[in-house]
Every structure is written in C-alpha cells, then in structure tokens.
Amino acid sequence: MRTLSSRPSTLAPVRPAHQTLIRDEDDLKRVLDVDYSPEQIAAITAPLEPGVIVAGAGSGKTTVMTARVVWLVGTGAVRPDAVLGLTFTNKAAGELAERVDRALMRLWPNADARGDDDEAGEPTISTYHAFAGRLLTEHGLRIGLEPSARLLADATRFQLAARAARGAPGPFPTLTKTLSAITADVLALSGELAEHLVPVERLREFDRALIAEVEAAEKPSAGARAAADAARNRLDLSRLVAEYADARRRRDLLDFGDQIAYAAQLAEERPEVGEMLRETYKVVLLDEYQDTSVAQRRLLSGLFGVPEGVAPEDAPGRGHPVTAVGDPCQAIYGWRGASVANLDEFPRHFPRRDGSPAPRFSLAENRRSGVRLLSFANALAEPLRDMHEGVEALRPGPGAGADGWVRCALLETQDGEIAWLADQVQHVIGTRFTPDGDLIGPRDVAVLARTAADFAEIHKALVERDIPVEVVGLSGLLNLPEVADLVATCEVLDDPTANAALVRLLVGPRWRIGPRDLALLGRRAGDLVRFDHGRVEGRDARLEQAVAGVDPTEVVSLSDALSDPGDDYPFSTDARIRFARLAAEIRELRRHLGEPLMDVLHRVLTATGLEVELSASPGAVAARRRETLHSFLDVAAGFADLDGDPSLTAFLAFLRTAAEHDKGLDGSLPSARDSVQVLTAHKSKGMEWEVVVVPGLVDGAFPSVQAQAKWTKSGRTLPHPLRGDTDGLPELADLTPKSFKAFDAEMRAHKATEELRLGYVTFTRPKQLLIASGHWWAARARSRGARRNSSSASPSTARPATATSSRGPPNPPRPTTPTSPGRSNTRGRCRSTPRPWRSAAARPAT
C-alpha cells in the first residue's frame, strides 16, 4: 500500500478509470465475502458526492470505508491512485491501508485481471499531520515557508520552549511557577493558538481590552478581577509564546501546530493548490472526523470544500466527493483541540454541487457486543443522541456476542474494591464464555480507569496474584512507585521549591520521617522566608515594603530547611541525621545536572539505591518493577534533543504535561505480550477486548467533577470568544457576577457532557463481559477522616458489602450519570451588547 511520502512529488492529473468489475451490491458482497447491512450498503454505494457517515461504536466504520474504496474502483468510478484516505495515527493509517490493500487484491486476484489498469497505482493512506507536512514540503514556498523546515518531535518541543523561556528578557511578574511548569503552560497556549489559527497579537489585544474594562469598573466583581489576573498571566505567557515561535523560525523548525496552521493558510490563500489536489484525488475519505481541530477542518474545507469566508456558490471545491466518518458520542479529545462541531457542520462545510447540504448516513448495527452491554451503553448515551443529528441507538447485529454479561459490585473501601477486581480478573482468565469460544487469556482483558491515580494499587494487586500485567502509556508509568520516586528526586534536584516531591521522599520507606518532624521542617522553612514588612524601620523600610511579596524567591522551600534545620527546633536525633544525609545527597547530585539526561537518571538510581531495592524484592514483583523502570528509561532515552543532550528541566516539563492530562502524552499502545493491559479510558478509544474492567465508578471520580481549566481563571487557556468553535462553548456575556455564575454553570454542564462521551467510549469496549465497581469509603480520605462516596456503579439499593451478578439482568444497572446539559449552547441564542474585549474577539483571524 502506497503511503503519502512514497507518492511522486508532482501532482499530475490521472487518467479516468474505465474497467467495471462490480455491477451491484451482490457483486460487492461476493468479492469481499461480507454480509453488509442495508445501512452499510447505503453508505458504501452512495453517489460520488460529499457525505458524512455517523458511525456508532462497533458499527464497522473501517469495513465501510474499505468497501467504499472497492465499490468506487470496481464500478470504474475512480482509479485506485485517485483515492486519498486520512486518519490520525500511524497505526490506524497502517491498518486501513492493509485492509484496503487486501480488499483490492480480492478485486484483482492476479495482475492479469487488471487488464489496462496495471498502472493504476494504489490509494494514498496517511495521517492528517503527514498530509499537511507533504503540502508544506511541496508548496510551502507559495507562502514564504522554506521546504527545508524540520518537524520538531513532541519531546524536543519542551526543550526548545524551556530554552526560550529561560533566555527571554523579563520582567514577567505573573510567572511565579517553576520553569518546567511555565514551559508546559507556554506549549499549551501556543498549541491552542495554532489549533484555532489565532495570531498572538489578536490574543494580546483581547486581553488588554479585558484588563482595561475591569480596571475602569468602579467595583469589579471577584470574577472580573480573577479574569483580569488570568489575562495578565496570558500576556506574560504570550511573550514567551512569541519567543518560542522566534526560536523555531531561527532554527528552521516546525511543531505540529505550525504544520497544520501553515497548511490551512496555504489552502485558504493559494486556491491553485486545492485545484491540483482535487484533480489528483477524485475521492477523499476522512476517518475519525469528530477528532479534528478547527485548523484541520479549515485545511480540509479549503482544499476540498468551502474555504472560510467564501460563499458556497463561489467555492470551486463545492461538491468534491469527500466522505467523513465519525461519531460525536465518541468525541473525547476536546482537551487537545478537537471540535465535535466539525462533524455536525460537515454538510455545510462540504456541500453538494448545487449548494445543498451533504447527506448524512447512520451506522448503528453493532457487531461487537452483546445485547445487555449495548443496552447499558445506549442508556448512558441517551442525552448525547439528543444533541447531535444522525446519531441512533446501537442495536445488535448478526455478528454480535450472545447476550453479554455485566458484573458489578459496590464495596466498602477502595482497597477492598481493588482486591475484588483483581480476584475477578484472576477468575475470568482461563474461562470460556461461549461453547465454541476460545479460552480467555490475559491479553483479552483490559482495566480501563478514569485516571492513572490508582494504577499503582491495581498493578500491585494483579502482580500479587501472578497475573502478567502491562501499564500502557507514560501517564500510567508515572504513577507506579518506582518511577514516581525517581521523578520526585529529579524534581527536587531541578527545583529547590518542589516541596511536594520532597515530602514524598521524606515520608517514603527510605527516609521514614514522621509527621512531627515533618511539621517542624515546614515551620522552619516558613521562618526562613518570613519577613514582617509592617514593622521594618529605618531608611530601608520603604524599599523593603516596595518589594514585599513580589520577589518569587520568597517562597517556602523545604529544601532550604533541610540544609539548615536550625538549632532551636526540637527535631528528633534520627531526623537530624537523615536530613543531613539527604541534603548532602541532593547537593552531590546537583553537581552533575549538566551531564546528559540518561547519566543523571542513572546517577539518581545509584545514589538512592533504587536498583538495589528492586533486586531485593520478591522474584515476580521485582521482575514487574524492573520492567516498569526500564519502560520509563526507554521513554527518557527516546527524549530527542535539538543540538546536544536534553536538559532535565525540559524532560520534567514533558512528564508534567503527560501527568496533567492523565491520558498519555505519548502514542504508546498495548504491546503484543500476553498480559492484562491497564490504561486510561481515553487511551482505549478504537480498541476492543473480550473483558473490560472499569474501577472507581464513584461520584466525583468517574464521572469526574474536576473543574475544567477556564479561560477566566487560567492564563494557559485560550478565551472562548477567540476559538473557532466558540458557538458550541459556554459564553461569558459580560463581567457582572450574574454572568460569571451563568458561565460557571454552563462550564459544569459542558464538563458533564464530556464525561458522558468518555463513559460511552469506555462501556462500548467489551465484547462479552463488563466488570464495573465502586466503593463507599475512599482510602485516601481515611487519614483526614473517612469520607463516604456516592457510587455510580450500582443502584441505590445495593448493599455496601459485596454485590454482584455473574450474569447481568436484562436491563443492567444504570450508573448515575451527570445531569443532561440540555441545549444551553445553541447557535441561535441572543448575544449581549459587544464589550471592547468581545469586539476584539469578533474580528476574523488573519
């Protein structure tokens, strides 16, 4: 199968297809040996025009895309090399290419069968980013971009951004975080600006107008003052974003955001590029379209549809055969810039030749899961179906499992829940669910958690039962104790104010500092930076007061207290000895921070004795912990560098972002090992297992109530009025307390919708058995008094001891779901009178 990079660089027109190998749907079924459903046939045999396929979970979207290619080639509508298919990951592109290749081989079982089409070539299957990269390589000069520009790897972005932030001329009064945290904020804001094609100066204009309005108010509300503080922070960050952009330009580098943004600019400003591509690719297939960003949508509509700001009747690409496939109920990547509105608005962005909206096709026949599992997922997704056109409830197809099983339990404690889940996994491995089915092996089981916070306990419980287990993704590895201890030590070395990391080390099994000595250490750290500015007298009083609270070095640092515990504090003798030893170890390790990253990590492992500890652990546990540590070191070794060895600061910023999103910054996937896979629910999209275990269905945890970053409080978040999908987001009408209250309520409703989507994805992964659980008493709350949770895994009548059914009832227990957000974010709502900062946002992007 030809990949994008292997196509000729010259985009020459292709000659028309002329062979007819398939005449009707019966021929198609015979050639591919697949019994397609009527709704699949309708999408496969649709006319050669734009169309969007709303494909529910397990409804065979890849099967339909493959058959669509075979149908168009087999009926003589297009040649194989006139087909372009785009998806998100290399893995997905490889799988789609392989399936299309096999299908075409069935159409042409030997070379002779092609006849005159022996030079017809092959379809081009690629990722969205690779497609954008090729456009820039071949046509970047049209917008002044050198074709020699190199793409920054995900890791090297952090290094270059950290370097740019470190060298930027100040002052930056609002940037009081650590350098690694600031680096992560810079990359987050830079990415959002690129995803929504917003110039930095437009952001600055918006924030200056917002600050001016708040300062002009006689008595601004608390919400308004917080929004102004966030705007000031954004102004400082935007200066670093510009420094980072300048650093890329000087080095002739691009990051992924640049790649899409420049490609979108090329598509909209140079119409001849779209003309050449439409002549080359007679058919375009867009996979997982609900996960595309605003910039990606503008790139694609600029080439094959209606460009931004162009009337449909004036768009030369109107009516080009573009088929998008996606499911709005599975749009779970809004946190990284995806806009589900792209799928909803596809008929308008890609109209027919006569200007009418493109048709929608729905796929709802699920051939993966049993009836009970589908009933469970449909109940969960009911509010989502009301929000999006073309979404239908899933129904079982002829290839689905029998009835499906649901097994759920409500335990007293979190520890008890994890033990119960591990017992269930141990019990299910080696069983057979259907008389003619295979035995369930470890690789047929997955544990899908809302976050990676409990991975360490889950991993430990499975290892103790001699169950082979693999934690998938960097965010999961960071929560395992051996990796967490290594990272905590590195954070302390890199930043003297990394108090949380130092506390982890102090209370850990190596140093064993008790609560009394720890409290005294905190008091000593506070005394070291405490200044009573109100009592300063003499000629230095005014200067002292002028700088009070401004210097970011006036931060409590436990590391300072560790090195100087003072003589007047009643520390225990053992604590003083351990403080001295740890302080000496930190000083010695800091002397080597200029060494290569891998050398630093190995020095830390040697100095802390972690390698020795792993060797001394019981056999099975030691083996698993060594595997975990080696996996993390592989990530560090692959942390690419710009022009030397990568810095520890940049690497920690990279890890911070991975942990913060808790969905895995990397693109790692389960390996081929025969082991139970433990991963976050976000990473499970597009996968399936015979058995899926979902722990932690506790109110506040899954569904999560953790507040999303709000642009009114977070400087790293792009304001909603500047985003390309602003019509589908909560709106702040003005700066009154009433508006802030309404905005916060809409944000909670928006968060509830995102959790519904994630729940739907999670509960449509199993084929045969879903095991779900919750608990009454949170383990992490016991130290400050037991807290009772409301479980969302069981009905309110469940008893907290154990509960469960090995075979679920016809209507399985429905979890408590967030209140339906309704349709508060509709396009037709009234807008308030424009404010200065709203007017700045209303201008089109340049």
Side-chain angles (χ1 to χ4, degrees):
M1 176 59 56
R2 189 188 298 275
T3 62
L4 187 60
S5 59
S6 64
R7 288 188 59 86
S9 59
T10 303
L11 299 178
V14 297
R15 59 187 174 86
H18 53 78
Q19 273 198 312
T20 301
L21 303 176
I22 295 179
R23 290 173 174 78
D24 53 32
E25 61 189 62
D26 291 331
D27 282 350
L28 178 70
K29 293 179 180 180
R30 174 182 50 78
V31 169
L32 297 183
D33 193 24
V34 177
D35 184 20
Y36 297 103
S37 66
E39 60 188 14
Q40 288 178 323
I41 287 293
I44 293 168
T45 62
L48 204 58
E49 62 179 9
V52 56
I53 301 174
V54 181
S59 61
K61 68 179 182 65
T62 306
T63 300
V64 169
M65 285 192 294
T66 302
R68 174 76 169 160
V69 173
V70 174
W71 172 264
L72 294 175
V73 172
T75 56
V78 298
R79 289 158 46 97
D81 58 2
V83 176
L84 171 66
L86 300 178
T87 187
F88 272 95
T89 66
N90 291 327
K91 177 177 180 292
E95 290 179 350
L96 179 59
E98 183 179 356
R99 293 182 67 166
V100 170
D101 190 37
R102 288 201 307 263
L104 290 178
M105 288 301 295
R106 296 178 69 94
L107 185 64
W108 288 310
N110 54 66
D112 294 337
R114 293 192 180 206
D116 294 337
D117 280 346
D118 57 347
E119 297 180 358
E122 298 172 332
T124 297
I125 309 294
S126 174
T127 64
Y128 289 102
H129 279 289
F131 175 69
R134 176 181 169 233
L135 286 184
L136 296 182
T137 299
E138 297 187 355
H139 302 283
L141 283 174
R142 297 174 187 269
I143 56 173
L145 186 67
E146 292 293 333
S148 60
R150 294 180 295 119
L151 183 64
L152 275 171
D154 213 11
T156 49
R157 293 169 54 239
F158 289 85
Q159 186 179 9
L160 185 61
R163 188 176 301 178
R166 187 185 290 111
F172 299 100
T174 69
L175 304 184
T176 58
K177 297 179 182 179
T178 64
L179 179 59
S180 60
I182 291 171
T183 301
D185 288 350
V186 169
L187 289 173
L189 184 58
S190 175
E192 289 205 24
L193 289 169
E195 292 289 0
H196 294 275
L197 303 178
V198 178
V200 172
E201 190 50 47
R202 187 173 167 215
L203 172 65
R204 290 173 178 164
E205 185 180 352
F206 175 92
D207 282 329
R208 291 189 192 110
L210 175 60
I211 293 169
E213 183 173 349
V214 174
E215 290 178 344
E218 184 176 351
K219 291 183 179 180
S221 64
R225 292 195 299 272
D229 288 342
R232 295 185 185 97
N233 183 233
R234 249 188 322 268
L235 287 175
D236 281 348
L237 286 174
S238 69
R239 291 170 58 192
L240 297 186
V241 168
E243 291 287 338
Y244 172 51
D246 288 341
R248 297 197 306 276
R249 280 192 291 270
R250 288 194 302 270
R251 292 171 173 267
D252 204 15
L253 296 170
L254 301 175
D255 65 10
F256 285 117
D258 293 328
Q259 202 175 50
I260 296 297
Y262 282 129
Q265 179 186 349
L266 180 67
E268 293 180 344
E269 294 181 2
R270 309 298 300 191
E272 66 272 17
V273 175
E275 182 179 349
M276 284 187 286
L277 288 172
R278 291 191 298 273
E279 185 66 24
T280 300
Y281 299 117
K282 302 298 185 181
V283 172
V284 180
L285 301 174
L286 306 176
D287 189 23
E288 301 286 5
Y289 194 67
Q290 80 282 345
D291 293 334
T292 53
S293 67
V294 170
Q296 286 169 324
R297 186 266 297 169
R298 287 178 58 174
L299 162 63
L300 296 167
S301 62
L303 296 174
F304 305 112
V306 177
E308 192 81 1
V310 176
E313 59 271 16
D314 297 330
R318 185 182 69 246
H320 194 76
V322 179
T323 300
V325 185
D327 181 5
C329 295
Q330 298 187 68
I332 61 173
Y333 293 128
W335 57 272
R336 70 179 187 193
S339 175
V340 68
N342 289 347
L343 189 67
D344 293 334
E345 295 296 323
F346 179 91
R348 184 171 64 87
H349 296 148
F350 297 86
R352 291 169 161 143
R353 290 193 181 278
D354 61 4
S356 61
R360 280 189 175 89
F361 303 90
S362 297
L363 304 181
E365 188 175 273
N366 181 290
R367 302 191 179 190
R368 174 195 298 160
S369 306
V371 176
R372 293 192 180 100
L373 298 176
L374 296 182
S375 175
F376 188 90
N378 284 334
L380 191 70
E382 184 176 355
L384 298 176
R385 294 197 297 274
D386 295 335
M387 298 173 63
H388 302 283
E389 189 175 347
V391 181
E392 299 180 1
L394 299 175
R395 61 182 185 277
D403 292 333
W405 286 265
V406 178
R407 188 177 296 170
C408 53
L410 180 59
L411 287 302
E412 285 194 9
T413 66
Q414 186 179 32
D415 292 342
E417 178 194 0
I418 291 175
W420 180 83
L421 286 175
D423 289 340
Q424 294 300 307
V425 173
Q426 186 177 37
H427 171 74
V428 80
I429 292 176
T431 61
R432 181 182 283 113
F433 284 92
T434 58
D436 55 346
D438 297 329
L439 294 177
I440 299 297
R443 66 179 305 172
D444 297 321
V445 182
V447 180
L448 307 182
R450 175 61 179 82
T451 70
D454 295 329
F455 277 13
E457 289 80 7
I458 295 171
H459 182 271
K460 178 182 177 183
L462 294 174
V463 168
E464 287 175 346
R465 289 159 177 79
D466 292 327
I467 299 172
V469 57
E470 174 189 6
V471 174
V472 181
L474 179 56
S475 63
L477 291 177
L478 292 175
N479 284 273
L480 300 184
E482 50 273 22
V483 174
D485 288 344
L486 175 58
V487 173
T489 304
C490 292
E491 288 178 342
V492 172
L493 298 180
D494 183 66
D495 176 23
T497 65
N499 295 328
L502 183 56
V503 168
R504 177 184 176 88
L505 300 178
L506 289 171
V507 301
R510 185 172 177 227
W511 298 106
R512 304 190 309 280
I513 299 299
R516 175 181 174 277
D517 289 314
L518 195 63
L520 286 172
L521 188 69
R523 187 186 307 171
R524 171 60 175 166
D527 289 344
L528 285 174
V529 297
R530 187 170 295 133
F531 298 99
D532 191 350
H533 299 289
R535 296 185 180 180
V536 176
E537 298 178 355
R539 63 181 183 179
D540 295 332
R542 185 163 299 182
L543 177 62
E544 189 76 21
Q545 292 172 358
V547 301
V550 174
D551 189 351
T553 63
E554 292 183 10
V555 177
V556 174
S557 169
L558 292 180
S559 290
D560 292 345
L562 194 72
S563 301
D564 181 14
D567 298 328
D568 301 330
Y569 294 82
F571 290 108
S572 67
T573 303
D574 287 342
R576 285 187 177 275
I577 294 173
R578 293 169 189 172
F579 288 163
R581 290 178 177 173
L582 178 56
E585 182 178 289
I586 291 173
R587 283 195 301 271
E588 176 61 24
L589 287 172
R590 279 181 178 154
R591 291 177 56 240
H592 301 280
L593 287 183
E595 296 179 356
L597 175 62
M598 294 305 296
D599 289 354
V600 173
L601 294 179
H602 283 295
R603 279 189 182 276
V604 172
L605 289 174
T606 301
T608 58
L610 185 56
E611 290 179 325
V612 176
E613 179 187 344
L614 293 182
S615 300
S617 301
V621 176
R624 297 300 176 193
R625 295 185 69 186
R626 280 195 296 270
E627 286 179 7
T628 298
L629 189 58
H630 291 160
S631 296
F632 176 76
L633 292 176
D634 286 343
V635 173
F639 188 71
D641 186 37
L642 291 169
D643 49 12
D645 290 301
S647 69
L648 182 64
T649 298
F651 184 58
L652 290 175
F654 172 69
L655 298 181
R656 181 187 298 273
T657 304
E660 194 172 290
H661 287 304
D662 227 4
K663 299 135 184 154
L665 189 70
D666 59 318
S668 57
L669 296 168
S671 68
R673 294 198 305 244
D674 189 19
S675 58
V676 174
Q677 287 124 28
V678 180
L679 61 160
T680 58
H682 281 91
K683 289 189 72 67
S684 69
K685 188 171 178 293
M687 302 180 190
E688 59 184 38
W689 294 269
E690 299 294 331
V691 179
V692 167
V693 181
V694 185
L697 292 184
V698 174
D699 194 23
F702 195 2
S704 172
V705 294
Q706 182 178 357
Q708 289 180 305
K710 302 175 185 175
W711 68 268
T712 54
K713 295 183 178 180
S714 170
R716 61 180 287 169
T717 304
L718 187 66
H720 288 181
L722 296 177
R723 289 172 54 116
D725 55 354
T726 182
D727 287 336
L729 296 172
E731 177 193 11
L732 179 65
D734 51 48
L735 300 179
T736 61
K738 182 179 179 181
S739 291
F740 278 100
K741 185 177 181 180
F743 175 76
D744 290 343
E746 285 197 36
M747 284 295 292
R748 288 192 294 272
H750 185 74
K751 170 69 173 179
T753 301
E754 296 299 301
E755 290 298 299
L756 278 179
R757 299 189 206 279
L758 184 58
Y760 175 77
V761 168
T762 304
F763 296 123
T764 52
R765 300 307 98 193
K767 295 181 180 180
Q768 304 191 51
L769 173 63
L770 170 65
I771 301 175
S773 65
H775 56 270
W776 284 116
W777 307 100
R780 282 183 289 275
R782 285 200 293 265
S783 60
R784 55 184 186 274
R787 180 185 74 226
R788 184 170 179 172
N789 291 307
S790 171
S791 171
S792 62
S794 298
S796 58
T797 55
R799 293 184 174 86
T802 62
T804 68
S805 60
S806 60
R807 184 180 178 100
N811 294 309
R814 180 180 178 183
T816 18
T817 56
T819 304
S820 172
R823 294 177 177 265
S824 59
N825 300 328
T826 55
R827 293 182 175 273
R829 65 185 172 195
C830 267
R831 301 282 188 178
S832 61
T833 303
R835 302 281 180 172
W837 48 275
R838 291 174 58 82
S839 300
R843 284 194 288 277
T846 57

